[in-house]
Amino acid sequence: MIRRLRVRDVRCYESAEIALGERLTVIYGANGSGKTNLLEALYFGCTGRSCRTSNDREFVRFDQPAARVELEIDTEDGAHQLAVGFEPGQPRRVTADGGPVERLIDVPFRPLACVFLPDRLELIKGAPSLRRDHLDRLVAGLWPARASARTDYGQALAQRNALLLRVRGQAAQPSELDVWDLELGRLALALSAERERAVDLVAPPAREIADELGLPGGLELLYRPRSKADSAEAFAAELLERRSSDLERGFSGHGPHRDELLLSRERRELRVYGSQGEQRVALLSLLLAERQILADERGRTPLLLLDDVMSELDAERRERLVARITASGQTVVTTTELAHVPSGDEADLALVEVSGGVVHQEVPA
Ligand SMILES: Nc1ncnc2c1ncn2[C@@H]1O[C@H](COP(=O)(O)OP(=O)(O)OP(=O)(O)O)[C@@H](O)[C@H]1O
Ligand SMILES: [Mg+2]
């Protein structure tokens, strides 16, 4: 578990420190007080990147050259310290127990993290590519050694697309595509298989959690591949059927880069028919289920970061959610209204009040 977070020149914080609860930490304060910034800092400390922006420059406090995040972590084998320094345009400076490390993912005690930000509802509501990306990150999180399935496929796809353009420009023969199609088929099947495996793992707990959180009609997760092929040859044959239209467009229109992950309730897609609250519960169920299977596969439960989820849930769903998240692992939630977080066991609870970019918490020495 993470004991403490320290930040310097992160977003609105010049310097701040919080002590985290073993189970639950509630960060509360008015709009704009700096709650989400602390969640983001926790995520940054665990992963080396922001969960809010792809432009990490935004993470550094205005007019400052660099940001720094430090985590104090307790594991079974004792206390550890992890620090990530970030200066725009420079490689991250990561230190583990004081010594420099090349990559954060190589640090054995690095905490895993799952995050829910309000804009992540886009995952339910938005384009299929968001769900594919999410699924591929889940695969990478579950089986780090197989994370290359997506990049390998992506590279082969880009090469095939380049070749399509050369064939179209008569700089290459159509038959040159044959070898690529077979290779792409091999990689496509591997990628789809990983995704399907992940969906098979996550679907049952997601359904169970959705039941518990009160999604009437249940949550169904379904991976829907475009291809029916069960071998590289069969995939290549599918590509051959579409070769003329691919040549016309200049890119490959068939394969796992067009697959869909469907989330539905009573056989109707939540993306289309779900209410705001139903979409939210579905997303929470999915993320909680992912956290559970990550814990099973990796042997450690990811830190769960929930930004502003309480305000959109009714009182009963809030109760159930808190009961669920405090049952295992460590969670940090933000809220504008402290009363929105039903908290039972005081001993495990850390309360952090923020106002105007300043933390008000008595941090034990
Ligand atoms: N790089 C930065 N440097 C300084 N201040 C920043 C930076 N980025 C954002 N801020 C400021 O941080 C403040 C707090 O933002 P944050 O998103 O943490 O608020 P919040 O408490 O989550 O509010 P809400 O309840 O509205 O979600 C904002 O006023 C924002 O302008
Ligand atoms: Mg916020």
Side-chain angles (χ1 to χ4, degrees), residues 288-307:
L288 289 168
E290 289 175 4
R291 179 173 180 246
Q292 188 174 317
I293 61 168
L294 277 163
D296 293 344
E297 288 287 320
R298 303 282 301 270
R300 47 201 167 122
T301 307
L303 170 71
L304 182 62
L305 303 168
L306 299 178
D307 192 26

Side-chain angles (χ1 to χ4, degrees), residues 118-250:
D119 66 6
R120 293 208 72 193
L121 261 192
E122 272 301 299
L123 188 62
I124 307 284
K125 297 200 280 197
S129 64
L130 296 171
R131 287 180 290 284
R132 283 192 296 267
D133 292 350
H134 182 78
L135 191 51
D136 290 336
R137 271 197 298 276
L138 176 64
V139 167
L142 287 168
W143 308 296
R146 302 189 214 154
S148 62
R150 178 189 166 101
T151 36
D152 293 348
Y153 175 78
Q155 279 166 6
L157 183 67
Q159 275 160 327
R160 183 179 193 265
N161 285 342
L163 185 55
L164 281 173
L165 291 175
R166 296 223 315 280
V167 172
R168 198 164 74 165
Q170 288 173 352
Q173 293 298 319
S175 60
E176 288 178 50
L177 281 163
D178 296 348
V179 180
W180 274 113
D181 289 1
L182 209 55
E183 173 67 0
L184 197 65
R186 191 178 65 75
L187 297 168
L189 255 58
L191 178 58
S192 300
E194 298 299 355
R195 288 176 176 172
E196 243 158 296
R197 205 166 296 156
V199 173
D200 285 350
L201 270 183
V202 83
R207 192 187 178 89
E208 188 192 310
I209 295 168
D211 274 349
E212 195 180 303
L213 294 183
L215 185 68
L219 172 62
E220 295 138 33
L221 278 173
L222 185 70
Y223 183 63
R224 199 173 60 190
R226 290 234 154 186
S227 167
K228 306 270 174 287
D230 56 3
S231 68
E233 289 73 20
F235 188 88
E238 290 177 346
L239 284 180
L240 188 59
E241 270 174 38
R242 295 164 175 84
R243 188 174 283 180
S244 57
S245 60
D246 278 357
L247 281 168
E248 226 161 81
R249 272 186 311 221

Side-chain angles (χ1 to χ4, degrees), residues 69-90:
V69 175
E70 273 176 41
L71 302 179
E72 269 179 29
I73 301 157
D74 270 358
T75 64
E76 277 165 13
D77 66 2
H80 294 281
Q81 198 238 16
L82 189 60
V84 186
F86 170 68
E87 188 176 342
Q90 303 284 323

Side-chain angles (χ1 to χ4, degrees), residues 256-273:
H257 61 293
R258 305 290 299 277
D259 288 354
E260 174 62 297
L261 171 67
L262 295 177
L263 289 103
S264 38
R265 183 178 80 86
E266 291 174 335
R267 297 177 184 273
R268 299 200 197 281
E269 265 189 88
L270 282 159
R271 183 173 67 87
V272 186
Y273 296 106

